[in-house]
Amino acid sequence: MDMKTLLLLIALAPLAGSIVAGLFGWAIGRRAAHVVTIAGVAVSAILSLKVLSGFVFGHAPVFNEPVYTWLTVNGNTYSVGFQIDALSALMMAVVTSVSLMVHIYTIGYMQEDPGYQRFFSYISLFTFSMLMLVMSNNFIQLFFGWEAVGLVSYLLIGFWFKRPTAIFANLKAFLVNRVGDFGFLLGIGLILAYFGGSLEYRDVFAMAPQLAAKTIELIPGHAWSLMSVTCVLLFVGAMGKSAQFPLHVWLPDSMEGPTPISALIHAATMVTAGIFMVARMSPLFELSDTALNFIMIIGSITALFMGFLGVVQNDIKRVVAYSTLSQLGYMTVALGASAYSVAVFHVMTHAFFKALLFLAAGSVIMGMHHDQDMRNMGGLRKYMPITWLTSLVGSLALIGTPFFAGFYSKDSIIEAVNQSQLPAAGFASFALTASVFVTALYSFRMYFMVFHGKERWKLNVHEHEADAHDEDEHHHGLGPNDNPHESPWVVTLPLVLLAIPSVVIGYLAVGPLVYGDFFNGAVVIDAIKHPALLHLGEEFHGATAMALESLRSLPLWLAAAGVLAAWIGYMKAPQLPDAIRRRINGVYVLLVNKYYLDELYFAVFAKGSRWLGNAFWKIGDMLLIDGLLVNGSAAMVASISRLTRRLQTGFIYSYAATMILGVLALMTYWFAPLILR
């Protein structure tokens, strides 16, 4: 099988499964729908791993060829094509393998849902869209995949379309991403205008150094760097897709979708698209320190301040959602520090342990009869041992425990920022280091509240007003005589399979991916201006040594302090969090209301747009157009007509008098100047 056929099969196999399940699911039934979609994604995953192995073990050549010519204009050809190098091969393997686990998990989680076939069709279509994005060799195909993942996320977040909250959430995601995508499209437009008319990566990257010093005037008389403006606009697109402050507000509300899609969106597909895009565009971003500083500041704010919000959440899925926001901030900061390989490495490790945490949360929700409020849980360890153990693995990986996957990627990001020479690196270093404590606090707060302590559903199932949203339209929560239960094997098997790379993948991959030559040619770094990764490579002496050296590092002790604080606050002294909350009630209210950003956006954009629309309607439409131009013209004609009718009396003496008055007026006009002399 030649490479082009192999790549087409990888991309189109999930699409084929999606089409069959979506169009013919009613005819083939539930079992056949999940078989055909899982088979399509499995084929794609196996072949993606084969492609990746060529770069890991065999130094496979880069594939960069068109597949289909779409348009030819002025000598420039715009086509569908694939660029397969180490970066895209790694992303293909991560996307398809995590998607396969989610597909299998969905059999158990969605087994009673009437939209079973439709859901499998959507998630396979999601996988196809993400593959088209990461495999593309040009900006047009990239934008197609970019918009396709946005469209399918809209369908999946609002999957339970009879619930008003789900419709509001998917509309919110759609609108916020339109803001980011508008910036992204403007960036592509600048590339089309100034980079010779070609939108293929290799042509744009080859021409970029010649335009490094070029300026444009967005405002007359003020010169702006073309490269900085282009890169910032491209990153605005990444801010929407990868949920960076202040375009992050859609991601927590995406929890309105079923748990499997929460895992797929947050772990391997949509939110990683922005990180991948910036890494792919590294030849452009390396030419603009302004853009890199901007990226680093945005990522730092997201990592720290979104982590704070995770501490006050009581919905188990929303805790994991805010964890995703914070971790995306880490990846973004790594991009700003020109540590592109570290950012992609964290994308990979995070995909496994975050998918694990989301699917474990879904398993807990199933065991609790779809109650998502952690205040109604506790003591689940003995009822759900597999979910408990895999959740512990995911939590340890998330907080950066030595030898676990998350440790190698998170510590590498922090060290890369410490080595960066950009002005924003100081704030970024503080934000990421502080986030280590916050991450450990909210992660193990969730862990202790769910799996340890008192079995609170026995004490009073309805003690608290539930913050969590129901997963379907039936009654939820344990009854007074119910106990939680472990999930079926189609749910626990993906948990176990995801737990394995959550432990070992960092140890195995940190050397070649971060400090080796795996990404050579796939990402470009100006080592003279941005030497952070070069300095890290000089200090790296193996995965074991890196883990042992961390025992003396501040991040490890901050993580331990976060776990200890969670243990004291939610196991030994459960009255302590309430006491602290009363002391800092203003801060607590600010966090619970998510910094009031939703209210601000509603006031500025929703109410502002409505006010502006009313102003155009009442002043522009009713007063000026209808009142003055349309109705005013008619009223003026009517007034003149009424006056004319009064003059047309039909009597001869009236017309004679009018003629005499006219003659007198003319005589006055002509002879008055002579008399006055």
Side-chain angles (χ1 to χ4, degrees):
M1 185 185 301
D2 65 297
M3 190 64 170
K4 187 179 294 187
T5 304
L6 178 69
L7 296 176
L8 283 171
L9 191 56
I10 290 173
L12 297 180
L15 177 63
S18 174
I19 292 173
V20 172
L23 297 182
F24 307 105
W26 60 274
I28 64 177
R30 298 161 70 92
R31 181 181 178 86
H34 76 236
V35 167
V36 70
T37 51
I38 290 175
V41 175
V43 167
S44 186
I46 293 169
L47 296 180
S48 294
L49 290 172
K50 178 182 178 181
V51 172
L52 177 63
S53 66
F55 290 95
V56 173
F57 302 111
H59 300 286
V62 173
F63 178 90
N64 188 355
E65 293 182 15
V67 174
Y68 170 75
T69 299
W70 175 59
L71 182 68
T72 301
V73 178
N74 295 331
N76 290 313
T77 299
Y78 304 100
S79 60
V80 175
F82 297 137
Q83 177 173 325
I84 308 301
D85 53 18
L87 176 60
S88 51
L90 179 63
M91 288 297 298
M92 288 159 56
V94 170
V95 168
T96 54
S97 58
V98 173
S99 178
L100 179 60
M101 296 298 101
V102 172
H103 275 69
I104 296 171
Y105 177 95
T106 300
I107 298 174
Y109 194 87
M110 300 292 288
Q111 60 182 340
E112 298 178 1
D113 197 285
Y116 190 82
Q117 294 96 314
R118 178 166 58 93
F119 189 80
F120 272 100
S121 175
Y122 285 172
I123 58 177
S124 285
L125 184 60
F126 206 5
T127 306
F128 160 74
S129 302
M130 190 66 186
L131 285 172
M132 290 300 289
L133 189 155
V134 301
M135 295 170 69
S136 66
N137 71 346
N138 62 84
F139 283 92
I140 291 180
Q141 187 176 331
L142 173 70
F143 190 71
F144 164 78
W146 196 267
E147 292 302 306
V149 294
L151 170 63
V152 184
S153 70
Y154 171 82
L155 297 173
L156 284 163
I157 294 170
F159 181 78
W160 286 312
F161 54 83
K162 293 183 180 180
R163 288 166 40 185
T165 51
I167 298 303
F168 177 82
N170 71 351
L171 181 61
K172 185 177 182 181
F174 185 82
L175 292 176
V176 172
N177 273 276
R178 296 291 68 72
V179 176
D181 292 354
F182 180 66
F184 189 57
L185 193 57
L186 289 176
I188 294 176
L190 284 177
I191 290 172
L192 182 63
Y194 288 95
F195 285 72
S198 175
L199 288 176
E200 290 204 10
Y201 295 156
R202 58 185 165 195
D203 297 334
V204 172
F205 297 162
M207 195 170 181
Q210 305 170 33
L211 299 172
K214 184 173 179 58
T215 59
I216 57 176
E217 290 190 2
L218 298 178
I219 302 173
H222 296 79
W224 298 63
S225 166
L226 170 65
M227 203 60 63
S228 293
V229 173
T230 302
C231 290
V232 168
L233 287 172
L234 291 175
F235 180 68
V236 169
M239 288 169 64
K241 279 290 179 289
S242 294
Q244 295 298 290
F245 177 88
L247 299 182
H248 67 279
V249 292
W250 67 271
L251 193 61
D253 288 339
S254 69
M255 297 300 97
E256 290 293 336
T259 297
I261 193 51
S262 300
L264 198 55
I265 289 177
H266 287 242
T269 53
M270 184 166 167
V271 297
T272 63
I275 309 300
F276 166 80
M277 183 272 293
V278 176
R280 173 60 81 202
M281 303 302 145
S282 59
L284 304 182
F285 282 88
E286 282 299 284
L287 299 174
S288 173
D289 281 3
T290 301
L292 293 176
N293 277 289
F294 178 70
I295 291 171
M296 194 178 289
I297 291 172
I298 294 296
S300 303
I301 294 172
T302 306
L304 181 58
F305 290 95
M306 296 305 107
F308 286 146
L309 298 183
V311 178
V312 300
Q313 300 299 313
N314 293 311
D315 182 322
I316 185 172
K317 284 174 64 177
R318 287 182 180 266
V319 175
V320 187
Y322 281 107
S323 166
T324 298
L325 283 171
S326 183
Q327 297 307 304
L328 288 167
Y330 273 86
M331 301 172 201
T332 302
V333 170
L335 296 173
S338 294
Y340 304 101
S341 59
V342 183
V344 176
F345 180 46
H346 196 48
V347 166
M348 180 187 72
T349 60
H350 176 263
F352 291 113
F353 65 72
K354 187 52 58 69
L356 172 61
L357 286 172
F358 261 114
L359 298 186
S363 179
V364 168
I365 293 167
M366 291 175 65
M368 291 295 297
H369 294 194
H370 294 279
D371 185 354
Q372 297 180 198
D373 193 334
M374 298 189 301
R375 295 170 296 183
N376 297 332
M377 299 179 189
L380 297 187
R381 172 183 174 181
K382 69 178 182 180
Y383 299 99
M384 308 180 71
I386 299 176
T387 303
W388 160 71
L389 184 59
T390 52
S391 294
L392 178 60
V393 169
S395 298
L396 290 172
L398 172 61
I399 69 171
T401 306
F403 293 103
F404 283 75
F407 160 75
Y408 292 100
S409 53
K410 284 183 69 174
D411 264 40
S412 295
I413 291 173
I414 294 172
E415 289 302 318
V417 172
N418 291 338
Q419 296 287 345
S420 175
Q421 299 176 0
L422 294 177
F427 172 67
S429 178
F430 164 76
L432 296 193
T433 305
S435 295
V436 172
F437 173 82
V438 178
T439 302
L441 177 59
Y442 67 66
S443 298
F444 275 83
R445 170 182 177 265
M446 177 180 69
Y447 172 76
F448 290 131
M449 287 183 71
V450 172
F451 294 105
H452 294 274
K454 297 179 180 179
E455 298 175 353
R456 287 183 292 276
W457 75 90
K458 289 184 177 180
L459 300 176
N460 187 353
V461 174
H462 304 293
E463 181 180 356
H464 299 283
E465 178 183 355
D467 291 336
H469 297 288
D470 294 339
E471 289 280 338
D472 58 40
E473 297 178 358
H474 303 294
H475 172 71
H476 295 295
L478 294 170
N481 299 317
D482 294 333
N483 280 326
H485 56 82
E486 185 61 276
S487 301
W489 72 267
V490 289
V491 171
T492 55
L493 177 62
L495 295 181
V496 173
L497 294 178
L498 287 168
I500 295 170
S502 296
V503 176
V504 304
I505 196 69
Y507 183 91
L508 297 175
V510 63
L513 262 63
V514 177
Y515 304 108
D517 60 354
F518 182 78
F519 287 116
N520 276 3
V523 297
V524 174
I525 301 175
D526 186 342
I528 298 175
K529 292 173 60 180
H530 310 128
L533 205 56
L534 182 64
H535 293 328
L536 283 185
E538 294 171 352
E539 299 173 1
F540 179 72
H541 303 293
T544 302
M546 181 178 176
L548 295 176
E549 289 171 6
S550 72
L551 298 176
R552 299 178 297 174
S553 68
L554 179 60
L556 176 65
W557 293 104
L558 285 174
V563 175
L564 179 62
W567 180 75
I568 293 173
Y570 296 94
M571 294 293 293
K572 302 302 293 182
Q575 74 282 359
L576 186 59
D578 285 337
I580 295 174
R581 184 182 65 188
R582 288 192 294 270
R583 287 290 185 91
I584 56 170
N585 190 59
V587 174
Y588 176 78
V589 171
L590 180 67
L591 295 178
V592 166
N593 287 282
K594 299 170 287 187
Y595 308 116
Y596 292 98
L597 285 174
D598 284 341
E599 290 78 5
L600 176 64
Y601 289 163
F602 182 77
V604 173
F605 295 106
K607 287 188 175 180
S609 299
R610 189 162 57 185
W611 178 88
L612 187 62
N614 283 333
F616 280 126
W617 168 46
K618 292 182 179 179
I619 298 174
D621 191 14
M622 295 181 66
L623 181 62
L624 295 179
I625 297 176
D626 288 344
L628 185 60
L629 296 179
V630 178
N631 295 332
S633 301
M636 183 176 67
V637 171
S639 299
I640 295 172
S641 299
R642 283 194 297 271
L643 179 61
T644 305
R645 281 201 308 272
R646 290 176 182 175
L647 295 176
Q648 299 295 329
T649 63
F651 297 108
I652 294 177
Y653 62 80
S654 176
Y655 298 149
T658 301
M659 293 173 65
I660 292 169
L661 289 174
V663 170
L664 289 174
L666 287 172
M667 291 175 65
T668 303
Y669 176 77
W670 286 106
F671 293 110
L674 298 174
I675 296 171
L676 292 174
R677 284 181 185 174

